[in-house]
Amino acid sequence: MPTLTLPAAFAPLTDGETELSIDGADTVKSVLDRLLMDHPTLTPRLLCQGRIASWINIYVGDTNIRELAGTDTPLADDDQVLVLNAIAGG
């Protein structure tokens, strides 16, 4: 089953978990759907108008899903999915 890694900043919204195994997920969309079903408070952090927010980058392995098939990117059981949020500051 694919493994999803989230930023530490999201831990308070996921009961302290930053690494989750998503059983039965075969696409990035199915991983996100399961994540947001289990942790709905993440929705405004990840989505904007129903799409992945511009400040969120999602990788399968070392490749951004924007360079693949987006949320339709297929996943193998041993894939690592990484969610990163942009950090602004001055």
Side-chain angles (χ1 to χ4, degrees):
M1 71 187 82
T3 301
L4 174 65
T5 303
L6 298 168
F10 289 0
L13 304 174
T14 59
D15 301 320
E17 297 180 89
T18 58
E19 190 164 300
L20 307 160
S21 294
I22 309 293
D23 191 31
D26 59 353
T27 64
V28 171
K29 181 180 183 339
S30 61
V31 166
L32 294 176
D33 286 348
R34 176 75 59 80
L35 174 68
L36 296 177
M37 182 175 63
D38 292 345
H39 305 284
T41 55
L42 281 174
T43 301
R45 299 278 185 110
L46 294 177
L47 303 180
C48 182
Q49 298 179 345
R51 298 187 180 272
I52 296 172
S54 61
W55 58 86
I56 295 293
N57 289 295
I58 300 175
Y59 292 83
V60 174
D62 294 332
T63 307
N64 191 313
I65 64 166
R66 289 183 175 107
E67 298 172 20
L68 300 169
T71 57
D72 292 327
T73 300
L75 298 174
D77 281 344
D78 61 345
D79 276 335
Q80 298 282 326
V81 179
L82 173 65
V83 174
L84 294 176
N85 58 321
I87 298 173

